[in-house]
Amino acid sequence: MKREDTIRVLIVDDQALMRAGFRALLDAEDGIEVIGEAADGRRAVELARSHTPDVALVDVQMPVLSGIEATREIAADPRLSGVHVVILTNYGLDEYVFEALRAGAAGFLLKDTEPAELLRAIRVAARGDALLSPAVTRRLIGEFVSRPPDRATAPGFEALTRREREVTALAARGLTNEEIAAHMVISPFTAKTHISRAMTKLGARDRAQLVVFAYESGLVTPRDPGL
């Protein structure tokens, strides 16, 4: 039986050597359990449904079903709302990453990430936090500069209160709850509450999707101060 503090991880990569490397690292870490491996996206979805891991490490380029499509299927299944997908990529901030975030990924990691950073990332994702540092968030939004805002892709925008729009914009700029609280002169708990309510209204799984929403709705642009 799983201990409550054990993070259950699914490894998804079509390269056996990569899967073996990730498994060796994770198996050696207290509090983390590898519950399965998949070599293609379709099998990843099947294992996610049968084992409901806390975190799925998913290679973006997969046979049968791509990592993006697998992420989209996992995110669309209400039974898998607790599964946090972390996309693995060799290429950094490319189009695959943007599509994965839109599909419902909690964040992404480069495959050459240091072991300690991978372990930290798994714990961050398992908590339900977005795996996007402030610097990466700013770069992410900056990549959208040539893409005109499309409010049709942002249902729920009108339902946000003024405060919820403000915290969403600040979160999209890469600020933490504590930094948002200091900026707005509120408590970190209140900032977190506003963000949670905004996510609920927008149907966003996590802060990563708030970043995408903020730009696509026109709430934040790369030309805003502080970006």
Side-chain angles (χ1 to χ4, degrees):
M1 180 179 295
K2 169 186 178 288
R3 298 200 322 268
E4 288 303 315
D5 59 348
T6 299
I7 299 171
R8 304 170 74 248
V9 179
L10 171 64
I11 300 172
V12 185
D13 197 298
D14 61 337
Q15 297 182 37
L17 188 59
M18 292 298 299
R19 297 198 306 273
F22 285 129
R23 178 180 277 277
L25 174 64
L26 300 182
D27 280 344
E29 187 71 12
D30 290 338
I32 296 178
E33 174 189 3
V34 176
I35 54 86
E37 299 179 19
D40 65 72
R42 174 55 59 202
R43 182 59 177 158
V45 176
E46 293 172 353
L47 288 178
R49 286 174 175 155
S50 60
H51 294 289
T52 56
D54 300 303
V55 176
L57 296 176
V58 180
D59 185 13
V60 71
Q61 294 181 303
M62 300 284 295
V64 185
L65 191 69
S66 73
I68 293 172
E69 288 302 322
T71 297
R72 186 172 288 112
E73 288 198 20
I74 290 171
D77 191 333
R79 297 168 298 176
L80 303 181
S81 60
V83 179
H84 306 289
V85 177
V86 175
I87 292 292
L88 300 169
T89 176
N90 290 315
Y91 309 109
L93 288 171
D94 58 15
E95 185 64 28
Y96 292 120
V97 171
F98 303 134
E99 291 304 315
L101 291 174
R102 290 191 185 97
F108 67 94
L109 284 174
L110 294 177
K111 284 189 175 182
D112 61 359
T113 295
E114 292 293 325
E117 179 62 18
L118 173 64
L119 295 173
R120 186 196 71 82
I122 287 173
R123 293 189 170 94
V124 167
R127 292 198 304 265
D129 293 336
L131 193 57
L132 295 169
S133 70
V136 170
T137 300
R138 294 187 183 102
R139 288 174 60 196
L140 177 67
I141 297 175
E143 290 291 333
F144 283 114
V145 68
S146 63
R147 308 176 193 190
D150 180 3
R151 290 186 184 278
T153 66
F157 178 84
E158 298 302 327
L160 296 183
T161 66
R162 180 181 61 81
R163 283 298 222 186
E164 288 163 356
R165 293 186 190 191
E166 186 175 356
V167 297
T168 296
L170 292 172
R173 290 178 182 140
L175 274 65
T176 65
N177 287 347
E178 289 72 20
E179 290 169 337
I180 291 172
H183 182 90
M184 297 178 64
V185 195
I186 57 178
S187 72
F189 177 80
T190 300
K192 182 177 181 180
T193 298
H194 284 316
I195 289 174
S196 296
R197 288 175 177 167
M199 286 171 54
T200 298
K201 291 179 179 179
L202 298 172
R205 283 170 63 92
D206 50 41
R207 290 169 81 109
Q209 287 197 315
L210 279 185
V211 174
V212 175
F213 162 80
Y215 177 80
E216 292 188 331
S217 67
L219 187 62
V220 169
T221 75
R223 289 166 293 279
D224 278 352
L227 286 177

